[in-house]
């Protein structure tokens, strides 16, 4: 089975820009660069990836594009742009020149205004993406799912993907409200979901593969095998599990699925969603 990792990050660590890396996450208080990931991918037979923004700056976009242009295994990048800026279209036209820049993301999960995505200026920015064939990654916590639903319903031709299955409260074992809110996306054909970021939402020292089964059941039932994609969230995942373990959680869950279904989840869907230059199979 060929694998595209739809969600990972790079960074040059410094305490100021990475204040979110708390003491209990000290294992990732260091640099993570393409050479580090390439080694991990060779060990786990991963063909390529999509690298996703970390710090909300266009300077970071340039750095990630440089990495992508220097490393064939980086198939695409998800960048950041100020969606509410007055010169949004000019910025999008600029980024559209870079063929490996596939879409954008804003760290909505950290916003005090939980419904920021519904502000007219934000929605205006979203409306400018589709003409450039840009995607949008939705990074939220469960309390924002109802706002995300309203957003995606407003733009049925825009491709969206929910990162990290919207970070359910796995550690607390809470599922009912998250499940209800996730299932509301079932008919939203323009919305995909990343199977990623789960291990860091669980009790990090005591989870098992079975811990994630109820949550995987929900997203699989909701999105089907043509709108799910595997992502590792490396290196953030390392605070809770090795890359091998993260991949194994996903491959074990889908082991009984057909070859075509597995190929879609682990490879084809990422290529289709992000319009990556890689051959589907």
């Amino acid at each position: 089975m060929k694998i595209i990792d739809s969600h990972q990050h790079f960074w040059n660590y410094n305490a100021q820009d990475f204040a979110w890396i708390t003491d209990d996450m000290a294992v990732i208080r260091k640099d993570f660069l393409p050479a580090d990931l390439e080694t991990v991918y060779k060990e786990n037979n991963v063909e390529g990836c999509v690298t996703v923004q970390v710090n909300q700056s266009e300077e970071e976009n340039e750095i990630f594009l440089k990495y992508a242009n220097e490393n064939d295994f980086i198939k695409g990048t998800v960048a950041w742009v100020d969606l509410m800026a007055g010169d949004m279209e000019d910025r999008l036209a600029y980024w559209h020149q870079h063929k490996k820049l596939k879409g954008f993301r804003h760290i909505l999960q950290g916003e005090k205004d939980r419904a920021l995505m519904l502000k007219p200026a934000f929605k205006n920015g979203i409306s400018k993406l589709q003409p450039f064939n840009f995607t949008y990654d939705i990074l939220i916590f469960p309390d924002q799912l109802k706002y995300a639903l309203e957003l995606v319903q407003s733009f049925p031709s825009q491709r969206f993907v929910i990162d990290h299955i919207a970070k359910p409260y796995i550690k607390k074992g809470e599922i009912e409200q998250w499940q209800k809110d996730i299932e509301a996306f079932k008919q939203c054909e323009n919305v995909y979901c990343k199977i990623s970021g789960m291990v860091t939402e669980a009790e990090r020292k005591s989870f098992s593969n079975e811990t994630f089964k109820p949550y995987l059941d929900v997203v699989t039932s909701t999105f089907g095998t043509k709108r799910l994609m595997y992502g590792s969230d490396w290196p953030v995942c390392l605070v809770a599990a090795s890359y091998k373990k993260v991949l194994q959680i996903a491959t074990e869950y889908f082991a009984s699925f057909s070859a075509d279904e597995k190929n879609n989840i682990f490879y084809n869907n990422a290529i289709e969603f992000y319009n990556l230059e890689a051959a589907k199979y």
Side-chain angles (χ1 to χ4, degrees):
M1 184 175 68
K2 296 171 75 174
I3 300 170
I4 293 283
D5 183 344
S6 71
H7 199 105
Q8 59 75 216
H9 308 285
F10 298 117
W11 61 68
N12 283 284
Y13 177 77
N14 67 76
Q16 181 178 346
D17 290 339
F18 294 85
W20 58 271
I21 301 181
T22 52
D23 289 345
D24 65 331
M25 302 168 71
V27 68
I28 58 172
R29 280 179 171 164
K30 62 179 184 178
D31 296 349
F32 289 94
L33 301 172
D36 304 313
L37 185 59
E38 187 171 26
T39 299
V40 172
Y41 282 171
K42 286 178 178 176
E43 292 170 352
N44 291 277
N45 298 312
V46 177
E47 180 175 305
C49 65
V50 176
T51 191
V52 179
Q53 66 85 218
V54 181
N55 294 313
Q56 299 191 148
S57 75
E58 292 198 23
E59 291 77 15
E60 183 186 74
N61 299 352
E62 300 281 8
I63 294 169
F64 285 4
L65 283 167
K66 181 175 183 290
Y67 292 162
N69 291 330
E70 293 173 349
N71 296 274
D72 288 342
F73 74 89
I74 304 174
K75 305 299 184 184
T77 69
V78 174
W80 180 84
V81 70
D82 183 355
L83 288 169
M84 296 184 283
D87 64 345
M88 249 286 289
E89 279 187 278
D90 290 342
R91 298 313 301 152
L92 293 180
Y94 169 77
W95 292 118
H96 193 247
Q97 301 173 82
H98 301 271
K99 66 179 183 178
K100 280 195 172 182
L101 200 156
K102 302 300 183 179
F104 294 93
R105 185 176 84 156
H106 184 84
I107 303 178
L108 289 166
Q109 68 175 29
E111 291 288 346
K112 289 183 179 180
D113 181 354
R114 310 306 284 159
L116 179 71
M117 68 193 85
L118 298 182
K119 295 291 186 186
F122 195 95
K123 293 178 75 174
N124 179 65
I126 292 291
S127 75
K128 308 298 184 186
L129 299 179
Q130 197 271 332
F132 291 98
N133 200 30
F134 284 134
T135 62
Y136 189 76
D137 273 56
I138 302 174
L139 177 64
I140 52 173
F141 283 125
D143 68 297
Q144 296 169 292
L145 276 165
K146 54 186 177 291
Y147 306 128
L149 180 65
E150 184 175 338
L151 176 69
V152 304
Q153 289 175 333
S154 299
F155 301 99
S157 297
Q158 172 62 44
R159 283 172 295 152
F160 295 93
V161 60
I162 297 172
D163 290 349
H164 311 325
I165 68 171
K167 296 193 169 185
Y169 306 118
I170 299 173
K171 185 184 295 186
K172 298 178 181 178
E174 296 179 4
I175 193 170
E176 290 185 6
Q177 186 60 50
W178 168 84
Q179 177 175 351
K180 181 181 177 181
D181 292 337
I182 281 286
E183 287 175 343
F185 290 86
K186 188 165 189 173
Q187 304 307 319
C188 300
E189 296 291 333
N190 58 323
V191 184
Y192 287 57
C193 183
K194 289 184 183 180
I195 297 168
S196 59
M198 298 187 301
V199 293
T200 46
E201 300 306 315
E203 185 58 61
R204 296 173 188 171
K205 295 182 180 179
S206 60
F207 69 77
S208 68
N209 290 15
E210 281 295 307
T211 301
F212 307 104
K213 185 179 183 299
Y215 301 91
L216 288 167
D217 286 346
V218 170
V219 294
T220 303
S221 172
T222 299
F223 295 97
T225 57
K226 292 187 176 180
R227 290 195 285 141
L228 289 176
M229 60 182 93
Y230 161 74
S232 67
D233 200 24
W234 180 96
V236 181
C237 67
L238 300 178
V239 305
S242 67
Y243 191 99
K244 182 178 181 179
K245 179 62 176 177
V246 170
L247 179 58
Q248 191 255 336
I249 290 168
T251 54
E252 181 181 285
Y253 177 83
F254 292 106
S256 64
F257 285 59
S258 72
D260 284 347
E261 288 172 322
K262 287 185 281 193
N263 288 339
N264 286 338
I265 294 164
F266 288 92
Y267 195 78
N268 291 334
N269 294 346
I271 291 171
E272 180 174 313
F273 181 82
Y274 285 117
N275 192 29
L276 305 180
E277 291 190 2
K280 292 171 67 176
Y281 80 114

